[in-house]
Amino acid sequence: MRHFFSYLIPLSILFWSAVAVTSDYYEQLNLKPLPQSNLLASFNFRSNTSLSQFEAHNFRYFPRSLGQILQHVGTRELHLRFSLGRWDAESWGARPWDGTKEGGTGVELWAWLEAETDEEADRKWLSLTNALSGLFCASLNFIDETRTTRPVMSFQPEGNHPNSTLANMQLLHGVLPREVVCTENLTPFLKLLPCKGKAGISTLLDGHKLFDASWQSMAIDIRPICANGEECVLQIEQAIDMVLDIERSKRPRDNPIPRPAPGHDLKCNSSKPYHSGDTCFPTDFVEGQDWALDQVFGKAIKGACPLSNSNIPPVCIQVPHSRDIYTTAGATEIKNPNGLSRCYQIPSDDGFSFILPHISREGEHGVTSVNDIVEPETPLLYAERSFTGHGYERGGVRTILTNPSLDTEVEFVYMESLPWFMRIYLHTLKTHIDGELRSSQDVIEEIYYRPALDRVRGTQLELRMRIPPASTVFLTYDFEKSILRYTEYPPDANRGFDVAAAVITILPSDSPDVPIERQKTSNLRTTTLLLSLPTPDFSMPYNVIIFTSTAIALAFGGLYNILIRRFVGADEAPQVSVGGLKGKILAGIIKLAEKLKGAKGKVE
Amino acid sequence: MNRGKMHFQGTAGLYAAAALLRLLLFAFFPGLPDLLTARVEISTPVTSFKRLQEGLFLYNHNVSPYDGGVYHQAPLLLPLFSLLPDPSAYPIFTYILYIIIDLLSAEALWKIAESGEASASRLFTSARKDRRWSGYIVAALFLFNPFTIATCMARPTNVFTTCAILHAIAKAIAGNPFTAMLALSFATYLSMYPILLLPPLVLLAYDRQYTSKRASSLPQFAGINAIVVAFCLSALFLGSYLLTGSWEFIASTYGIQLTLTDLTPNVGLWWYFFVEMFDSFRAFFLAVFWLHLSCYVGGLSIRIRSQPLAVLTILVGIFAIFKPYPSIADTTLFLAMVPLFRHVFPLMRYTFLSASTVLYSTFLGPAFYYLWIYAGSGNANFFYAITLVWSLGQSLLVSDLTFAMLRDEWEMERPEMVGKEIRQI
């Protein structure tokens, strides 16, 4: 890049090099083998543009389509997430990026908008969601007022904002837990990249692999960064994190249907006493990881992206240095001094792949963990949320929060944004610490609660909590399921309604002597829940209208008759006189009816 | 005074037995109150005790309970209940409050029954007036009605409305129109629909007052009483405004009854109708349903002018069927007033049919609800069908009672027709 510009006149060299400092682009793929034959692949793409360039509509690495939307609605900071699956914290450990680049299942969007009033913010939010909906082919336009909240404690701006704009920035947050993230969301995501998926690590991104992952999250963050003494830049960071099941990914493309392995290929746990030639206890995942990059992703990297900063190696893998890795020709290996990771500079005009070969072990100790992967870190907090109770009438939510640390307490904000048709009873909110009998209300330090209004807005509940070391807290509350108008049910109403994930923001610790991972904010999200509501019979609106109207007409008509008509003796009533045969038949029927009634209707 | 003393001695045993029965039920079945509170047949969105607790919790934590979709009850209930200790920790105080309310209702009913107004009003004295039940029996029938006991244990807030309506009637009969109007204002403030009882209540108060004072003409009397009600209601609304700091309680408590935004199942006819209603006709049918509910007032007041208490009874019965969020607590009020008309029971034609329909739906309703909500082997139509039967049974009872009252009147004109077969033309 520089090489090309050096042929230009000296003034423009100066100009361009100045731009190159403030507007740069880099990308990196971080591979981290996880236990049980899983592989975490974190793609990170980041580009900067100076604010003055951005305001002059001079987009270089910053995507123009997104930039124009942001300028139109006065967005100061934007975060968009597309996620699928569940992060298995018990076996995979702490989340990538401390959970700050993931969303709840579905689509999650939060942004700081510049607005004087709430109404202006709502208006801008509406046009932002509609524009993003078109850009990302997602149903973001369904983030209406019932799904929008204004979090109070959970989210803080990540960028640097001058105090003048901070005063009238409004945070809005919306979730679509039912949205199915798929290929049509990936394509526009890749289009935003400078290399557009044609070169660099983004060539590995393929809908078939990404959406086949056990867990995946696509993130877009846009924020202004002001370093000391330099011009502020607007940074767009795109990240994709995915956990691939290696066994599943290694299946050949042309024969993707899984078939049972023949007996001689089965991996058996030979330590079982009944292990013999014809009995086998299958051992999954105990063999060390062996795979090749082009094998799990289906293709090799098509050279480095020429626009990216060449100082930063594009591919890194976290395995101990004791393991050998064989790469394709032209790549240079840079080992990290900590002994646990290494990175690769890859050639810009040639494909790149590597092989992590099989390592042989002493046969008898199949189960013992060998030093072939880096042990995952323990997360700061485990969270699990589920429904309790049965039936369509009422239920409860129970969240189990565990602090695994033996010596440090953890402080966090727990945020729920629930749909309005889930009517929660805040007076039933209880916490208790596992093993302690007393109800420990002091776990909750602060509550922010905005109750739901029918068809207008959902519930917003934020709790600031502090959990003592090595303890588990059960947080429970009751709710009532409401019945909706029949037009408000989605197609397939008996499937249920998705309830958005709870967002947990672990607050940075105040004391200075804690480890580095506790000094910054980290996030974690529970899974979404499926809420089944009582359903009416969708096939019979007409019948119901007719039946109810009949019941009312019977009551009204009966009473009306009694009130209006005059009483006379049965013998004083004028006879019905209709001529002809018809009249005779009618009179006969009436007489018969009178006789039948006479037996019953005689009164005292 | 002397009579009052005698009356107290006569009823003390009855009231003590009723209170003891309730206390024993509370004591020996500690899970029963919460179970009944959760039943849709007793607790509706506008009366539920659980929602009251939620409103109370929000009120005590400085969150406006009306800025939410759960609490739809009158604001003055909040300070009343926050005076009591926390119901989840010390439920006994709430139990005692509800028992006292039941006894107060019974006391009012006693007075109404003892006055003999049901069979002998100013303009009409029934030929069968000797065949009435004493206040003791009427109060006992109210206090030991299983519906009343279930209502007392489920603690919905419309027992306060019931109590206020009964006291309004009792005071009107006692010749205290202003106290009666005050009680009616309280009932209206709590539940809105009792305002429709104003015309017959004014007539009743006028009739009862006429004999003693002969003060003014009926229009003048009605005007004064309407102003009294308007004044009391404004004072209550103003007090609520000062209490909650905004007017949003109006939309949340009365607006929901007008617009029916909460469609939680109940024993009435509205919820399923408006679940299934097409959106473009929703407003129209809401208007029709409310018009239907209020159209009875004028017709009945004119047609049965001579017996205002009968009009009140029939109206209470109609409201228990057709109001937006009815529950068996409303039926309780109607069933409490029916025994006042013991003298017309022989003229009723469908007593067996309506009694068995009501019993049938009482037993089958919870079963069908269970099938729909918990077992999953039935759908919403099951419970809907049973609410239809319940409403039909009750409306049969109401129209049958009306028929009996009118025939009783007619037989005064034509005594020779007693016991003869009649027709209506």
Side-chain angles (χ1 to χ4, degrees):
Chain A
M1 201 77 190
R2 290 276 183 83
H3 192 247
F4 169 71
F5 288 118
S6 65
Y7 293 107
L8 298 174
I9 53 168
L11 190 69
S12 58
I13 295 172
L14 269 175
F15 174 73
W16 279 111
S17 55
V19 169
V21 170
T22 50
S23 80
D24 55 342
Y25 168 71
Y26 99 93
E27 57 178 36
Q28 193 169 47
L29 165 64
N30 222 315
L31 294 162
K32 184 182 177 190
L34 295 172
Q36 297 179 347
S37 174
N38 287 302
L39 171 69
L40 168 68
S42 299
F43 295 79
N44 191 22
F45 313 91
R46 184 192 292 169
S47 54
N48 293 337
T49 180
S50 73
L51 274 180
S52 53
Q53 296 274 327
F54 178 73
E55 270 149 28
H57 296 265
N58 192 357
F59 303 102
R60 209 164 107 85
Y61 296 133
F62 201 92
R64 172 180 290 273
S65 52
L66 196 54
Q68 283 174 340
I69 293 172
L70 298 184
Q71 281 177 342
H72 179 66
V73 296
T75 311
R76 292 281 149 239
E77 201 176 312
L78 178 115
H79 303 272
L80 180 61
R81 305 279 185 268
F82 299 89
S83 309
L84 265 184
R86 166 177 172 265
W87 176 268
D88 182 6
E90 298 282 337
S91 43
W92 301 343
R95 287 149 197 264
W97 315 103
D98 297 320
T100 52
K101 292 199 194 314
E102 66 170 80
T105 304
V107 181
E108 192 172 336
L109 169 73
W110 69 102
W112 276 268
L113 303 175
E114 200 171 15
E116 302 278 335
T117 58
D118 285 3
E119 290 73 33
E120 190 190 351
D122 287 337
R123 217 170 41 246
K124 285 184 166 178
W125 176 250
L126 186 70
S127 54
L128 177 69
T129 49
N130 279 297
L132 290 177
S133 162
L135 190 60
F136 289 101
C137 302
S139 318
L140 282 161
N141 52 327
F142 285 108
I143 298 183
D144 53 4
E145 55 191 351
T146 64
R147 294 171 203 268
T148 303
T149 54
R150 291 161 194 266
V152 174
M153 298 190 276
S154 289
F155 294 94
Q156 296 301 325
E158 289 175 10
N160 311 105
H161 299 277
N163 285 334
S164 54
T165 55
L166 213 52
N168 53 11
M169 270 179 12
Q170 296 218 22
L171 166 65
L172 287 103
H173 178 265
V175 200
L176 284 178
R178 200 176 187 174
E179 183 75 7
V180 180
V181 184
C182 203
T183 319
E184 74 268 19
N185 308 120
L186 177 67
T187 313
F189 185 92
L190 291 180
K191 285 258 173 69
L192 300 180
L193 297 172
C195 284
K196 306 207 185 297
K198 306 283 186 222
I201 57 169
S202 54
T203 49
L204 291 181
L205 290 169
D206 170 20
H208 290 101
K209 290 291 177 190
L210 180 60
F211 300 110
D212 192 38
S214 311
W215 175 83
Q216 70 87 13
S217 170
M218 299 198 288
I220 295 178
D221 296 279
I222 295 163
R223 52 182 167 252
I225 303 283
C226 297
N228 279 336
E230 286 175 39
E231 200 198 349
C232 290
V233 294
L234 192 67
Q235 185 179 74
I236 175 167
E237 189 171 0
Q238 288 176 260
I240 292 185
D241 296 284
M242 56 204 276
V243 174
L244 289 165
D245 183 335
I246 291 172
E247 294 300 324
R248 190 177 165 92
S249 304
K250 274 158 72 176
R251 269 182 224 151
R253 264 258 172 113
D254 52 340
N255 186 15
I257 302 167
R259 292 186 175 80
H264 54 84
D265 281 354
L266 278 180
K267 293 165 185 164
C268 302
N269 185 347
S270 52
S271 64
K272 297 281 176 196
Y274 48 79
H275 175 75
S276 69
D278 55 349
T279 53
C280 176
F281 184 82
T283 56
D284 286 331
F285 320 128
V286 291
E287 291 288 321
Q289 294 201 355
D290 61 309
W291 44 269
L293 189 66
D294 53 349
Q295 202 180 13
V296 280
F297 284 101
K299 50 191 167 186
I301 297 177
K302 284 186 200 145
C305 172
L307 302 175
S308 68
N309 187 336
S310 54
N311 295 328
I312 295 166
V315 181
C316 292
I317 177 165
Q318 292 186 27
V319 287
H321 287 180
S322 53
R323 288 198 67 171
D324 294 327
I325 293 180
Y326 305 110
T327 65
T328 49
T332 21
E333 187 181 79
I334 308 157
K335 286 196 170 168
N336 190 319
N338 70 5
L340 295 175
S341 71
R342 63 190 95 180
C343 295
Y344 293 95
Q345 283 287 8
I346 60 178
S348 59
D349 46 359
D350 203 6
F352 169 79
S353 179
F354 63 76
I355 296 170
L356 193 67
H358 179 77
I359 49 167
S360 55
R361 293 179 199 162
E362 293 77 27
E364 289 303 308
H365 306 289
V367 193
T368 57
S369 89
V370 187
N371 203 11
D372 65 325
I373 62 165
V374 179
E375 278 298 307
E377 291 170 40
T378 314
L380 301 180
L381 185 75
Y382 294 106
E384 234 180 284
R385 186 179 63 160
S386 55
F387 279 139
T388 56
H390 71 290
Y392 292 125
E393 196 177 9
R394 56 181 58 85
V397 172
R398 184 178 57 190
T399 311
I400 305 172
L401 300 150
T402 307
N403 180 3
S405 161
L406 293 175
D407 49 2
T408 324
E409 58 181 16
V410 61
E411 191 184 7
F412 58 89
V413 178
Y414 176 86
M415 184 180 102
E416 294 255 37
S417 53
L418 304 169
W420 63 266
F421 39 78
M422 189 174 155
R423 293 202 176 89
I424 79 163
Y425 288 109
L426 197 64
H427 74 271
T428 59
L429 181 79
K430 300 263 181 329
T431 52
H432 91 263
I433 298 182
D434 192 25
E436 284 184 36
L437 289 176
R438 66 193 174 88
S439 92
S440 42
Q441 205 58 48
D442 50 338
V443 171
I444 298 177
E445 298 187 323
E446 197 182 337
I447 298 182
Y448 176 84
Y449 177 60
R450 189 139 198 254
L453 263 181
D454 289 1
R455 298 178 179 84
V456 176
R457 60 158 197 256
T459 306
Q460 181 188 350
L461 176 65
E462 286 182 76
L463 307 170
R464 195 154 58 81
M465 301 170 75
R466 191 188 286 272
I467 297 189
S471 50
T472 301
V473 168
F474 293 84
L475 176 79
T476 55
Y477 57 83
D478 292 351
F479 65 90
E480 200 169 277
K481 302 171 181 182
S482 40
I483 184 165
L484 310 180
R485 297 170 184 163
Y486 89 114
T487 47
E488 287 169 336
Y489 288 91
D492 191 11
N494 288 304
R495 176 186 169 269
F497 292 74
D498 295 82
V499 176
V503 181
I504 297 170
T505 312
I506 301 173
L507 302 173
S509 178
D510 303 330
S511 58
D513 53 339
V514 292
I516 189 83
E517 71 266 16
R518 287 192 187 270
Q519 283 176 8
K520 52 195 176 186
T521 308
S522 54
N523 283 104
L524 130 103
R525 281 169 173 83
T526 63
T527 47
T528 54
L529 294 174
L530 197 56
L531 171 73
S532 50
L533 294 185
T535 51
D537 187 341
F538 294 102
S539 60
M540 50 182 278
Y542 288 103
N543 302 14
V544 170
I545 292 168
I546 291 165
F547 284 148
T548 306
S549 304
T550 308
I552 291 178
L554 276 177
F556 181 81
L559 211 56
Y560 180 80
N561 262 333
I562 289 167
L563 289 180
I564 288 298
R565 293 195 182 186
R566 217 152 38 81
F567 288 101
V568 287
D571 46 343
E572 299 164 5
Q575 293 301 317
V576 188
S577 54
V578 190
L581 184 69
K582 197 177 156 193
K584 272 182 190 167
I585 294 169
L586 266 179
I589 290 169
I590 289 166
K591 222 177 221 172
L592 198 68
E594 292 290 340
K595 259 185 197 163
L596 286 174
K597 237 165 111 186
K600 217 188 282 173
K602 198 164 265 177
V603 287
E604 189 179 61
Chain B
M1 202 64 213
N2 195 18
R3 194 172 161 276
K5 206 174 217 172
M6 269 173 57
H7 149 71
F8 179 74
Q9 283 165 351
T11 50
L14 173 69
Y15 293 168
L20 192 68
L21 173 67
R22 284 160 170 75
L23 279 175
L24 286 178
L25 283 173
F26 280 128
F28 286 104
F29 303 96
L32 198 59
D34 285 339
L35 175 83
L36 288 173
T37 303
R39 297 300 312 178
V40 289
E41 293 89 343
I42 310 176
S43 295
T44 65
V46 294
T47 61
S48 158
F49 184 67
K50 191 163 184 187
R51 289 177 186 245
L52 175 70
Q53 278 178 289
E54 175 72 3
L56 210 56
F57 181 84
L58 296 179
Y59 173 73
N60 288 334
H61 288 80
N62 292 323
V63 178
S64 168
Y66 297 103
D67 190 25
V70 170
Y71 186 67
H72 302 295
Q73 297 166 41
L76 287 184
L77 290 172
L78 295 170
L80 170 70
F81 276 88
S82 43
L83 288 178
L84 297 177
D86 180 21
S88 53
Y90 307 101
I92 184 73
F93 294 98
T94 344
Y95 298 159
I96 289 173
L97 174 72
Y98 276 83
I99 291 172
I100 290 172
I101 294 292
D102 260 13
L103 296 184
L104 284 175
S105 302
E107 174 70 17
L109 208 53
W110 168 289
K111 284 182 190 153
I112 298 167
E114 286 296 303
S115 73
E117 169 72 16
S119 52
S121 63
R122 179 176 69 97
L123 299 172
F124 170 76
T125 305
S126 169
R128 306 158 190 269
K129 72 175 158 83
D130 300 327
R131 306 186 56 171
R132 67 187 176 87
W133 273 330
S134 71
Y136 191 88
I137 295 174
V138 174
L141 282 175
F142 170 71
L143 285 174
F144 294 99
N145 182 345
F147 286 155
T148 316
I149 295 171
T151 305
C152 178
M153 302 198 71
R155 297 160 292 164
T157 51
N158 55 348
V159 297
F160 297 103
T161 315
T162 304
C163 186
I165 291 175
L166 286 174
H167 273 276
I169 296 170
K171 289 294 172 193
I173 287 172
N176 290 329
F178 293 113
T179 331
M181 293 307 139
L182 183 67
L184 186 74
S185 307
F186 267 102
T188 306
Y189 171 73
L190 290 170
S191 302
M192 188 166 88
Y193 79 91
I195 192 70
L196 295 173
L197 297 175
L198 180 66
L201 192 72
V202 167
L203 291 178
L204 180 66
Y206 181 73
D207 284 359
R208 293 297 293 193
Q209 184 217 30
Y210 198 82
T211 46
S212 55
K213 289 185 188 164
R214 289 185 171 271
S216 49
S217 70
L218 179 58
Q220 203 180 350
F221 183 80
I224 292 169
N225 282 301
I227 290 167
V228 170
V229 169
F231 178 76
C232 294
L233 278 177
S234 336
L236 285 168
F237 287 147
L238 198 66
S240 311
Y241 169 72
L242 295 176
L243 192 72
T244 58
S246 74
W247 290 108
E248 63 190 358
F249 73 90
I250 300 257
S252 190
T253 50
Y254 309 119
I256 183 181
Q257 299 208 30
L258 291 173
T259 57
L260 210 84
T261 48
D262 192 325
L263 294 167
T264 309
N266 55 49
V267 293
L269 294 171
W270 292 50
W271 67 275
Y272 204 53
F273 189 81
F274 286 101
V275 163
E276 298 276 8
M277 179 47 65
F278 309 107
D279 281 335
S280 39
F281 293 104
R282 191 173 302 277
F284 170 73
F285 274 101
L286 279 170
V288 168
F289 272 44
W290 267 105
L291 190 69
H292 167 246
L293 190 61
S294 47
C295 74
Y296 291 101
V297 178
L300 284 168
S301 299
I302 294 165
R303 177 69 176 85
I304 323 181
R305 166 68 186 92
S306 53
Q307 302 183 64
L309 187 61
V311 177
L312 284 167
T313 309
I314 294 165
L315 279 180
V316 161
I318 288 168
F319 294 156
I321 310 165
F322 295 119
K323 79 192 193 81
Y325 293 103
S327 67
I328 65 165
D330 298 298
T331 311
T332 300
L333 174 60
F334 175 56
L335 293 182
M337 291 178 72
V338 168
L340 297 172
F341 296 90
R342 164 73 183 87
H343 60 284
V344 298
F345 282 6
L347 298 173
M348 290 170 72
R349 296 170 295 179
Y350 308 116
T351 350
F352 175 73
L353 187 62
S354 53
S356 46
T357 317
V358 165
L359 279 179
Y360 169 84
S361 45
T362 306
F363 288 111
L364 224 49
F368 277 6
Y369 190 72
Y370 180 84
L371 287 186
W372 171 34
I373 293 294
Y374 291 100
S377 48
N379 64 8
N381 297 342
F382 280 57
F383 187 64
Y384 165 63
I386 217 73
T387 60
L388 271 185
V389 174
W390 169 260
S391 304
L392 281 174
Q394 263 189 294
S395 58
L396 192 64
L397 183 61
V398 169
S399 50
D400 204 19
L401 189 68
T402 317
F403 172 83
M405 286 163 180
L406 289 174
R407 173 139 194 208
D408 186 42
E409 253 184 39
W410 182 69
E411 283 179 0
M412 282 301 287
E413 287 166 26
R414 303 193 49 186
E416 78 278 7
M417 296 306 286
V418 175
K420 297 256 177 65
E421 195 183 334
I422 61 152
R423 284 179 62 188
Q424 284 192 299
I425 53 165

